[in-house]
Amino acid sequence: MAVYNNCDRSCCFGCCGPVGPQGPAGPQGVPGAAGATATNQNALLSNSAAQAVAAGDALALPTNQINSTGDIAAAGTNGLTLQPGQYLVSFGADSADTAAGDLGAALALDGTALTDARSAVPTTAADSTRIALNTVLTLTAPSTLTVINDTGNALTYTNASLTAVKLA
């Protein structure tokens, strides 16, 4: 069977003609719901220098970059004051000891270590390791966030950084 103008005559009685013009655009659809507004509030505290931290003490994080409208503020040189809301928090540092013990740290709210944001790596001799902690905090009252050495022995930390991003 012959094909004329892309028409095989199987569905029509005559030869297919040219394609017609495009029709007019349809009406605009209903607008979608508004998305969540980003808070754009965050903070980075850091200390690249080596610091000896006794068991139970907070790490010094004196260098800060805080982008906040008031919900995140420096708490001295050791941490952050966070207003009620939800925050993504991350910490990382190199941790070293001079004898057998644990290497690690914990995020702490108002001086109390968070059970879901701590690390303890047992060692049998002097050793070092990179530690990382991450958590999401939901706060109902203003709180002070710090990083503490909760391992039970003195440690040296270098290249420490703490970040907090307000999610809601």
Side-chain angles (χ1 to χ4, degrees):
M1 165 164 25
V3 176
Y4 301 96
N5 295 331
N6 293 326
C7 180
D8 66 6
R9 294 181 188 236
S10 64
C11 65
C12 53
F13 296 104
C15 187
C16 296
V19 174
Q22 182 172 344
Q28 182 171 341
V30 177
T37 302
T39 68
N40 296 324
Q41 297 191 69
N42 56 75
L44 167 66
L45 303 181
S46 64
N47 187 353
S48 60
Q51 58 178 307
V53 180
D57 285 353
L59 279 69
L61 301 162
T63 303
N64 70 56
Q65 297 174 336
I66 298 175
N67 301 306
S68 177
T69 57
D71 288 338
I72 303 173
T77 59
N78 294 83
L80 295 167
T81 300
L82 305 174
Q83 296 303 313
Q86 189 174 56
Y87 298 84
L88 173 62
V89 178
S90 299
F91 169 76
D94 297 317
S95 174
D97 60 8
T98 58
D102 287 339
L103 295 172
L107 296 176
L109 282 178
D110 299 323
T112 301
L114 301 174
T115 57
D116 66 341
R118 63 190 321 169
S119 174
V121 178
T123 63
T124 57
D127 204 352
S128 64
T129 192
R130 179 81 181 165
I131 55 175
L133 306 171
N134 299 290
T135 194
V136 173
L137 299 175
T138 301
L139 305 176
T140 57
S143 302
T144 300
L145 173 69
T146 56
V147 181
I148 61 172
N149 172 3
D150 74 332
T151 64
N153 54 302
L155 298 176
T156 300
Y157 297 90
T158 53
N159 302 314
S161 65
L162 173 66
T163 59
V165 178
K166 185 165 188 189
L167 302 174

